[in-house]
Amino acid sequence: MQDLASARGVVDFYGTTQANVRGRNVYIQFSSHSELTVPEHSGQPRRQFEQDLQPNRILLVTIHNPLYPMTVDVLHQVFSRYGIVEKIVTFQKTAVVQALVQYSAQQEAIHARNTVQGRNVYDGCCTLDIQFSNLSELQVQFNNDRTRDYTNAALPTEPGVPFYGDNGNMHVPYQQMPLGGAAAAAAMFGGVLPPGITGVNDRSTLIVSNLNAERMDADKLFNLFSNYGNIMRIKFLHNKPDHALVQMGDGLQAELAVHFLKGAMVFGKKMEVNYSKHSQINLSSDAHDYSASTLNRFNRNVSKNLKYCCAPTKMIHVSSLSNDCTQADISAYLGEHGQVVEVKVFEANGKKQALVLFENVEEATEALTCKHATPFQGQTIRLAFSKSTSL
């Protein structure tokens, strides 16, 4: 405290009132120490609160109430919006997850801390408590869902895989406790993972090939892949115009996209979706950045959106319709992409929505790819594949 009177006031108040921090009773009494100090390289002590206030390019992030897995990919999705993230290291405590996030510049770290301090990553949970670290450089020995060096993609991905340092000596990386894993992923789906989904993939960047180069673009790929997770960046390959890289929000979302979209027919071609050797898509003039897009579907209601994930179907769910929209309006607008068999307009939670049944899956996929997030009757409509089989 600033002075003895302030300290005495705290002790006196909590002598008659039970102090409670995050659901646990705590007890307060005087310490035998007269002042808190921390050593510096100069050997001169300084006050602890002055040390805490010193900005640094490395942030210490504590995630309270971590109901969902807080992987490196999730944290990168959160913090890369405010600057170039070089390294991330995560570690598990008893009731919280902690991470160290290293930016390329101090100002980026300050901006991130000022912007997201105290905010939730997901609705009602995963609350961020951010401080400046006193470390000068993070040491990362392998790239996986717990640690990542974005400046060195050549690091091994698995614990126990030897690698050689600059001095030629062999090192064996330290194996940390896994964070979340398949059990945490299953919890997002109500306790059971969909058939074919492992929940343990840690690769978030995909290579998509055999695209119709004349008709497909980054926004249309976003519309299709955003059914399975948030899209960070998309980049088409110069030397292969029918190939593109798609960086998803995390490994689970990437696994869903591979599982459900591999082999899908889009614009008359059978699309191939596989994991890329690249850990991320770097910002560049030819990379399309969607990390801050409000059209990403998984910024909220994550579990609800995950439960709706499915392979492309003949049935399209349309939301955010105008109040005076009719079945004929919807049929005419989406019918540009195929034969609309039937349209059902209804209201849910006071908002007009519709189910649209196409003649086949390829036509429905084209309609979603082209018309999701487009303006229609003064509204930006949203399209998603529906598991419903009939109207």
Side-chain angles (χ1 to χ4, degrees):
M1 303 297 292
Q2 184 175 8
D3 51 42
L4 182 60
S6 301
R8 184 177 290 113
V10 172
V11 173
D12 290 345
F13 177 81
Y14 287 111
T16 56
T17 303
Q18 177 60 60
N20 184 284
V21 178
R22 298 191 183 277
R24 302 195 60 162
N25 290 339
V26 296
Y27 302 91
I28 299 172
Q29 61 186 30
F30 288 110
S31 166
S32 61
H33 297 277
S34 60
E35 186 175 36
L36 296 178
T37 59
V38 290
E40 290 191 312
H41 296 299
S42 63
Q44 296 297 318
R46 72 185 305 165
R47 294 178 185 269
Q48 179 70 51
F49 73 88
E50 291 178 348
Q51 172 75 12
D52 290 342
L53 292 176
Q54 294 303 303
N56 187 8
R57 70 185 181 124
I58 300 179
L59 300 176
L60 172 61
V61 183
T62 302
I63 301 101
H64 298 281
N65 195 22
L67 298 184
Y68 301 123
M70 297 304 297
T71 64
V72 163
D73 291 321
V74 174
L75 290 168
H76 186 268
Q77 177 182 341
V78 172
F79 287 96
S80 62
R81 300 179 181 184
Y82 309 103
I84 299 174
V85 175
E86 294 184 337
K87 301 175 183 179
I88 299 178
V89 175
T90 63
F91 40 98
Q92 181 79 54
K93 292 292 187 74
T94 304
V96 299
V97 174
Q98 288 192 309
L100 290 163
V101 179
Q102 177 176 315
Y103 280 97
S104 62
Q106 183 185 100
Q107 193 58 42
E108 296 170 342
I110 295 172
H111 179 42
R113 183 178 185 269
N114 291 342
T115 304
V116 300
Q117 164 65 15
R119 295 178 61 180
N120 295 334
V121 178
Y122 300 110
D123 287 349
C125 64
C126 301
T127 306
L128 299 175
D129 184 10
I130 306 173
Q131 306 172 40
F132 293 112
S133 169
N134 58 7
L135 298 175
S136 59
E137 183 76 27
L138 294 183
Q139 302 299 320
V140 176
Q141 297 181 335
F142 48 85
N143 290 331
N144 57 24
D145 64 344
R146 299 176 296 280
T147 65
R148 190 75 56 84
D149 185 345
Y150 295 98
T151 67
N152 185 3
L155 289 179
T157 60
E158 296 297 329
V161 177
F163 71 99
Y164 292 85
D166 295 335
N167 58 4
N169 294 329
M170 186 176 72
H171 302 274
V172 178
Y174 171 69
Q175 184 171 358
Q176 295 181 319
M177 293 296 292
L179 303 181
M188 293 185 177
F189 288 92
V192 180
L193 285 169
I197 301 298
T198 67
V200 297
N201 172 62
D202 61 2
R203 293 166 292 179
S204 61
T205 303
L206 307 175
I207 179 72
V208 186
S209 59
N210 201 35
L211 296 169
N212 187 324
E214 295 181 355
R215 300 192 62 188
M216 185 63 78
D217 58 33
D219 287 345
K220 290 174 182 175
L221 270 182
F222 172 90
N223 291 346
L224 183 57
F225 278 77
S226 63
N227 279 267
Y228 307 98
N230 285 340
I231 307 300
M232 298 297 98
R233 298 184 184 109
I234 293 176
K235 178 180 180 180
F236 279 82
L237 305 187
H238 292 299
N239 57 338
K240 297 180 179 179
D242 65 339
H243 285 56
L245 294 172
V246 178
Q247 183 181 342
M248 306 292 291
D250 59 35
L252 174 61
Q253 296 172 11
E255 185 178 8
L256 290 169
V258 171
H259 179 73
F260 288 123
L261 287 179
K262 193 179 186 70
M265 292 295 298
V266 188
F267 297 134
K269 304 197 72 173
K270 187 177 181 180
M271 185 173 64
E272 283 299 320
V273 185
N274 295 287
Y275 297 107
S276 169
K277 64 181 180 180
H278 300 283
S279 61
Q280 67 173 355
I281 301 173
N282 293 323
L283 280 174
S284 63
S285 59
D286 55 351
H288 300 260
D289 188 5
Y290 296 94
S291 59
S293 174
T294 58
L295 296 174
N296 269 317
R297 307 172 194 247
F298 289 70
N299 287 327
R300 53 185 305 176
N301 299 325
V302 177
S303 293
K304 179 181 177 182
N305 286 324
L306 285 172
K307 291 176 184 177
Y308 289 145
C309 288
C310 63
T313 65
K314 294 190 291 184
M315 189 78 75
I316 296 293
H317 176 261
V318 186
S319 58
S320 300
L321 291 168
S322 63
N323 290 331
D324 54 356
C325 184
T326 67
Q327 294 180 358
D329 294 334
I330 298 169
S331 181
Y333 187 62
L334 299 183
E336 300 172 10
H337 305 284
Q339 180 63 44
V340 174
V341 176
E342 191 176 357
V343 178
K344 179 182 178 181
V345 178
F346 59 96
E347 283 195 11
N349 300 321
K351 298 179 180 179
K352 183 163 283 191
Q353 304 178 35
L355 286 173
V356 182
L357 179 63
F358 281 83
E359 182 69 27
N360 58 57
V361 174
E362 185 176 354
E363 293 174 349
T365 302
E366 179 178 320
L368 181 147
T369 302
C370 294
K371 291 298 173 63
H372 172 67
T374 57
F376 177 58
Q377 296 184 342
Q379 298 284 108
T380 300
I381 61 172
R382 300 198 174 214
L383 278 65
F385 295 114
S386 172
K387 294 182 179 180
S388 300
T389 56
S390 61
L391 298 181

